[in-house]
Amino acid sequence: MTNSLRRPLIAGNWKMFLDLAGSVALARGVAAGAPPDGPEVVVAVPFTALTVVGEVLKGSKVKLAAQNLHWEKEGAFTGEVSAAQLKDAGCAAVVIGHSERRQFFGETDETVKKRLTAALAAGLLPIVCVGETLAEREDGRTFKVLETQLTGALTGFGPSQLATLVVAYEPVWAIGTGKTATPAQAQEAHLFIRKTCERLHGAALAAGLRILYGGSVKPDNADALMSEPDLDGALVGGASLKADSFLRIVKFSAPARA
Ligand code: PEP
């Protein structure tokens, strides 16, 4: 759970699910149930639902996010959506480099960095995803992979540019599989991510950096995960598609720490 420097953040990733009516209903449920004094709450919704969900969330404490963005400002890039268009649609945040984009749509550390640059320039809160595959973990390469992904995405910025950065550690083998990293496995990876960011951008950035865990977070494992000192929140896929399960995660209970 977060310390006083880091406000917890729980983000839902709706992926390519829900029609407009379902999106509106879910957004209403989340907005109505998110506790006013709880963690920061974000929902990353499909592009087509951004404006309708944005209307529902107006005046609530839940923030609207997109699941991707393109790095160019505008132009002949059929099928892409720019940071300015996301802002115009009401977004406050954006998910970048999700493993499904890396796996299925050719996302690389270089394109993650371009998207991050565009998101920061537009004032969108960037949630940059990193994580190893099962083969990489079994080969003992987890830290190497995380280091490469972080270095590739985060070099070339000054620490003040990255003040709003959020990193999501999402082991690929845990996403949508029902296999969650143990709290100890997640903590080990989060600490490594924090140390790597400290090496890249200094102690102050690392101390304030929010690192979310993602990978089959559910109501019944959220409390244990969030009890680890370097877990500052969660990126939730499947369990974010129902207001009651998502809100139970939002209302996680973890011992306070200094
Ligand atoms: C995700 O979409 O980033 C995710 C972690 O999904 P799930 O919670 O379903 O594993």
Side-chain angles (χ1 to χ4, degrees), residues 146-167:
L146 294 177
E147 187 171 27
T148 303
Q149 290 175 338
L150 290 166
T151 308
L154 304 183
T155 44
F157 297 100
S160 62
Q161 285 175 285
L162 295 177
T164 60
L165 174 72
V166 174
V167 173

Side-chain angles (χ1 to χ4, degrees), residues 126-148:
I127 303 175
V128 173
C129 303
V130 295
E132 81 288 358
T133 63
L134 185 59
E136 289 163 343
R137 174 163 282 265
E138 287 175 348
D139 271 7
R141 286 191 287 133
T142 297
F143 288 171
K144 188 73 215 145
V145 169
L146 294 177
E147 187 171 27
T148 303

Side-chain angles (χ1 to χ4, degrees), residues 6 22-23 42 59 72 75 94 100 115-116 118 126 131 133 142 154 160 170 172 184 188 194 220 232 241 244 253:
R6 307 192 293 267
S23 298
V42 169
E72 293 290 345
V94 63
E100 286 152 14
R115 294 183 212 280
L116 174 60
T133 63
T142 297
L154 304 183
S160 62
E170 298 213 305
V172 178
E188 182 188 43
R194 200 174 302 289
D220 64 2
D232 306 308
L241 294 172
D244 57 353
S253 128

Side-chain angles (χ1 to χ4, degrees), residues 15-250:
K15 308 197 189 199
M16 197 173 72
F17 290 107
L18 301 173
D19 58 14
L20 291 182
S23 298
V24 165
L26 178 55
R28 280 196 184 126
V30 172
D37 51 353
E40 189 171 2
V41 180
V42 169
V43 289
V45 316
F47 287 134
T48 49
L50 284 174
T51 50
V52 287
V53 169
E55 283 303 315
V56 173
L57 298 182
K58 256 186 202 150
S60 85
K61 60 162 289 179
V62 179
K63 294 191 172 130
L64 183 69
Q67 299 171 14
N68 191 19
L69 82 167
H70 194 259
W71 53 85
E72 293 290 345
K73 284 200 167 73
E74 62 179 6
F77 300 104
T78 302
E80 297 296 328
V81 178
S82 72
Q85 288 171 322
L86 295 185
K87 291 281 285 189
D88 194 32
C91 286
V94 63
V95 176
I96 298 174
H98 191 281
S99 70
E100 286 152 14
R101 300 221 55 88
R102 293 179 190 258
Q103 254 181 302
F104 306 128
F105 302 102
E107 187 82 77
T108 64
D109 297 334
E110 194 187 338
T111 54
V112 168
K113 182 174 179 163
K114 288 179 169 188
R115 294 183 212 280
L116 174 60
T117 306
L120 290 169
L124 289 163
L125 179 97
I127 303 175
V128 173
C129 303
V130 295
E132 81 288 358
T133 63
L134 185 59
E136 289 163 343
R137 174 163 282 265
E138 287 175 348
D139 271 7
R141 286 191 287 133
T142 297
F143 288 171
K144 188 73 215 145
V145 169
L146 294 177
E147 187 171 27
T148 303
Q149 290 175 338
L150 290 166
T151 308
L154 304 183
T155 44
F157 297 100
S160 62
Q161 285 175 285
L162 295 177
T164 60
L165 174 72
V166 174
V167 173
Y169 169 60
E170 298 213 305
V172 178
W173 48 273
I175 298 178
T177 59
K179 283 187 203 161
T180 318
T182 63
Q185 283 173 322
Q187 167 59 23
E188 182 188 43
H190 281 228
L191 185 58
F192 178 81
I193 290 168
R194 200 174 302 289
K195 293 276 173 218
T196 304
C197 290
E198 179 171 341
R199 191 171 50 69
L200 293 173
H201 292 296
L205 177 125
L209 177 69
R210 291 186 291 179
I211 307 175
L212 315 184
Y213 169 77
S216 299
V217 177
K218 307 285 177 209
D220 64 2
N221 59 27
D223 294 351
L225 286 161
M226 289 299 296
S227 297
E228 293 296 333
D230 284 285
L231 269 71
D232 306 308
L235 179 52
V236 185
S240 73
L241 294 172
K242 294 263 186 295
D244 57 353
S245 57
F246 185 58
L247 288 169
R248 169 60 186 85
I249 295 167
V250 166

